[in-house]
Amino acid sequence: LLLTTPYYNKASSEGIIRHFAYVAEHSELPLIVYNVPGRTGVSCTPEHYARLAEILRINGVKEASGDISLVSRTRHLCGDALNIWSGNDDQTLPMLALGAKGVISVASNILPLELHELCRLWFEGRHGECERLYYELLPLMTALFAESNPIPVKAAMAHLGFCSGEVRLPLTAAKPETVAELVTSLKPLLGSSD
């Protein structure tokens, strides 16, 4: 299960820990904490993660706070007791360098093999090749967050013929400039001329 931090009520530190502990205690499935304060208004701290790492069913964290320092401090406190995955495509390389296990990715909806390759290259110690691929993918990773997710990824998938691109309210269709940025960033990756 992928679980966000509790939102709206802005729980205390103890409330955040107890929330995840309660779900873990009442589930038979492994849990991944999803720290995305830009959407929930609440962020986990390295100290939260140190306590959560002690809970058997908590497998790790999808870290999407954008705070690389938080990831560094978490790795320092938790070591290998807590798996960390990048929750932001554009931070995958720096997070791999800090010990992340990979990425739970938006861009992989469009280019799954390339995101797999990015991580594989890192884990094989081919860091230069990984870095080159990362910088090739970076314009797309950036374009995919020009508007609220999933608006851009739906627009990109529609451009590629995989879906209609429709989103439900309160989301609205991608702006023309977002679509243009997506198309431009996709061209060199797909080798297409359109």
Side-chain angles (χ1 to χ4, degrees):
L1 300 175
L2 183 64
L3 301 172
T4 62
T5 50
Y7 54 90
Y8 184 73
N9 289 327
K10 293 197 176 182
S12 66
S13 288
E14 188 60 28
I16 291 170
I17 302 297
R18 290 172 71 177
H19 165 76
F20 288 118
Y22 180 88
V23 175
E25 182 181 317
H26 291 85
S27 174
E28 295 179 9
L29 299 172
L31 312 177
I32 296 176
V33 173
Y34 183 10
N35 191 39
V36 59
R39 291 192 177 238
T40 65
V42 177
S43 184
C44 286
T45 66
E47 293 75 23
H48 291 145
Y49 290 143
R51 287 183 60 193
L52 293 171
E54 297 172 2
I55 300 171
L56 181 63
R57 290 220 195 291
I58 295 182
N59 183 269
V61 58
K62 175 182 178 180
E63 179 51 55
S65 68
D67 185 347
I68 294 294
S69 210
L70 181 148
V71 176
S72 298
R73 294 189 327 269
T74 298
R75 286 285 296 156
H76 177 73
L77 282 176
C78 299
D80 291 331
L82 185 71
N83 294 316
I84 299 172
W85 290 274
S86 176
N88 295 327
D89 287 301
D90 66 342
Q91 292 186 335
T92 301
L93 181 60
M95 288 189 61
L96 288 169
L98 292 172
K101 303 289 185 182
V103 59
I104 300 175
S105 169
V106 171
S108 65
N109 286 283
I110 301 165
L111 299 171
L113 295 176
E114 289 79 355
L115 270 291
H116 176 270
E117 180 74 357
L118 181 78
C119 294
R120 185 182 67 78
L121 289 168
W122 180 266
F123 293 122
E124 288 180 358
R126 296 161 62 186
H127 298 156
E129 292 172 74
C130 177
E131 185 177 343
R132 280 189 293 282
L133 179 57
Y134 170 78
Y135 285 117
E136 286 175 25
L137 297 172
L138 190 57
L140 175 64
M141 293 172 175
T142 302
L144 287 171
F145 288 89
E147 296 183 50
S148 292
N149 183 41
I151 294 170
V153 73
K154 289 269 197 160
M157 297 293 280
H159 173 73
L160 297 172
F162 289 114
C163 70
S164 70
E166 290 181 38
V167 292
R168 291 179 286 186
L169 290 173
L171 301 178
T172 56
K175 297 174 190 168
E177 57 269 26
T178 299
V179 174
E181 184 181 353
L182 288 163
V183 170
T184 299
S185 66
L186 280 167
K187 279 182 185 176
L189 300 172
L190 301 175
S192 66
S193 57
D194 59 28

